[in-house]
Amino acid sequence: MRVSAESRRYIYFLLGVCVCVVFLALPSMDDIDVTWEHLNWNAAMAIRETGVPFVRPGYPPDLHHPPSWSYIIAASVSVFGESVWAMRFPGLLCFLTTGLLLYACARCLSLNRLVATLAATIYLTSPMALQGALNMDYADGQLLPLASVSMVIAYLYTERRPVWLQGVWLGLGVIVLLWAKLTSTAIFLFALALVAAFSFRKRNLQVVAAALGTGLPLTLLTWGGYCLFVKRSPIGRDQSYWEMFGQPVDYLVNGKASAGIWSLEPSAMLLHICRITTYAGPVFMALAVCGLAVWGFGSLRRLQQR
């Protein structure tokens, strides 16, 4: 496949942005400074020793969030050695990959290289997005954005495929999203179902139904198998299987992070809006730029046709 000179210029520009991001990230890759980072550090170290995440010896397995990111950190430390740099490195890779995938997503939506480059650059140069990627939290700023953008791309590139095939691809995305984070993914899937319902297109409803019908059962099946693995380990031998199986849902409903999620008080609702904006703001901003550009170019074309 030949790449035009104009395309190469945009690609080189994006690669330059990625190099700058790496240099900006380097000073923040050698220290642990928040509580959740210490918890995930301990969980990753426990995985290296026992294969099961726990916060400290004598405590039950830490399954409040799916431990996918803890395993990724443990794998990175096994390859590069035990250091904070090695623990932050996967987050930086996810961040850069998400930016490049945003370029592909915006390119598909806008059919314009400049718009796609602008959307990806906004994400890659967002301090909040970079901070979230370097934070060793439970997949909020690394795996979750990557999985979300990948799912959008899977939808766009399978749009002309049969409904069942598109649903299967999106179902695989649902599995990855739920294994990355339950709380945020629950909101994402609820919003996806609402968008499909209010699009008034039969195909959209069929695709979402196929995705959820594929993704949710397979997630429960894989999670159940993983909990069985934990139950058979020395750490989980004394724990109830069903308590471990329901830990993420219990944390979603009763945990500290969701303490006021069901409240209709204005202060609680404002707090949730701020949380959503903080976590998803950079991605929303990049996609908003793409959407505005598509609308602007479409308006110009209509004016020229007149």
Side-chain angles (χ1 to χ4, degrees), residues 128 266-281:
M128 183 63 71
S267 58
M269 295 177 68
L270 181 61
L271 176 60
H272 296 320
I273 293 172
C274 290
R275 283 175 175 168
I276 294 171
T277 305
T278 299
Y279 283 126

Side-chain angles (χ1 to χ4, degrees), residues 132-150:
L134 294 177
N135 189 358
M136 289 185 293
D137 204 336
Y138 287 91
D140 291 87
Q142 314 94 359
L143 193 57
L144 194 63
L146 178 60
S148 302
V149 175
S150 299

Side-chain angles (χ1 to χ4, degrees), residues 5 61 118 127 162:
L118 181 60

Side-chain angles (χ1 to χ4, degrees), residues 21 52 98 192-193 208:
V21 167
V52 176
T98 302
L192 185 67
V208 170

Side-chain angles (χ1 to χ4, degrees), residues 94-109 116 119-120 123-124 129 139-158 169-170 172-174 176-177 180 185 188 192 279-288 290:
C94 282
F95 177 68
L96 296 175
T97 305
T98 302
L100 296 178
L101 288 180
L102 265 175
Y103 173 86
C105 180
R107 182 80 173 86
C108 183
L109 287 171
Y123 178 80
L124 289 170
D140 291 87
Q142 314 94 359
L143 193 57
L144 194 63
L146 178 60
S148 302
V149 175
S150 299
M151 191 171 175
V152 173
I153 290 178
Y155 174 84
L156 293 174
Y157 281 91
T158 58
W169 276 106
L170 293 183
L172 295 176
V174 170
V176 177
L177 281 170
T185 300
F188 178 84
L192 185 67
Y279 283 126
V283 174
F284 287 160
M285 188 185 300
L287 293 178
C290 179

Side-chain angles (χ1 to χ4, degrees), residues 53-188:
F54 57 86
V55 175
R56 62 183 65 176
Y59 274 53
D62 182 20
L63 301 181
H64 292 99
H65 295 296
S68 53
W69 194 247
S70 301
Y71 279 93
I72 291 174
I73 291 177
S76 178
V77 170
S78 298
V79 173
F80 299 108
E82 186 175 332
S83 68
V84 182
W85 182 92
M87 288 189 156
R88 296 197 193 280
F89 182 65
L92 183 60
L93 282 183
C94 282
F95 177 68
L96 296 175
T97 305
T98 302
L100 296 178
L101 288 180
L102 265 175
Y103 173 86
C105 180
R107 182 80 173 86
C108 183
L109 287 171
S110 68
L111 302 178
N112 186 286
R113 286 182 289 266
L114 178 60
V115 172
T117 304
L118 181 60
T121 303
I122 287 174
Y123 178 80
L124 289 170
T125 56
S126 168
M128 183 63 71
L130 180 57
Q131 180 185 4
L134 294 177
N135 189 358
M136 289 185 293
D137 204 336
Y138 287 91
D140 291 87
Q142 314 94 359
L143 193 57
L144 194 63
L146 178 60
S148 302
V149 175
S150 299
M151 191 171 175
V152 173
I153 290 178
Y155 174 84
L156 293 174
Y157 281 91
T158 58
E159 201 167 9
R160 297 186 180 182
R161 301 288 184 177
V163 170
W164 69 267
L165 183 59
Q166 189 178 24
V168 167
W169 276 106
L170 293 183
L172 295 176
V174 170
I175 296 171
V176 177
L177 281 170
L178 287 171
W179 266 96
K181 191 74 179 287
L182 179 62
T183 49
S184 305
T185 300
I187 299 173
F188 178 84

Side-chain angles (χ1 to χ4, degrees), residues 167-252:
V168 167
W169 276 106
L170 293 183
L172 295 176
V174 170
I175 296 171
V176 177
L177 281 170
L178 287 171
W179 266 96
K181 191 74 179 287
L182 179 62
T183 49
S184 305
T185 300
I187 299 173
F188 178 84
L189 295 180
F190 179 70
L192 185 67
L194 283 180
V195 170
F198 285 100
S199 68
F200 300 107
R201 289 182 59 190
K202 182 179 178 180
R203 179 184 172 90
N204 288 342
L205 287 171
Q206 291 174 333
V207 168
V208 170
L212 296 178
T214 303
L216 293 179
L218 288 178
T219 301
L220 291 174
L221 185 63
T222 53
W223 180 250
Y226 174 73
C227 290
L228 185 61
F229 162 74
V230 175
K231 173 66 177 174
R232 291 181 174 179
S233 70
I235 306 301
R237 191 172 297 157
D238 297 329
Q239 306 299 316
S240 165
Y241 174 83
W242 292 110
E243 283 185 7
M244 290 190 295
F245 186 87
Q247 263 194 50
V249 176
D250 180 69
Y251 186 76
L252 172 65

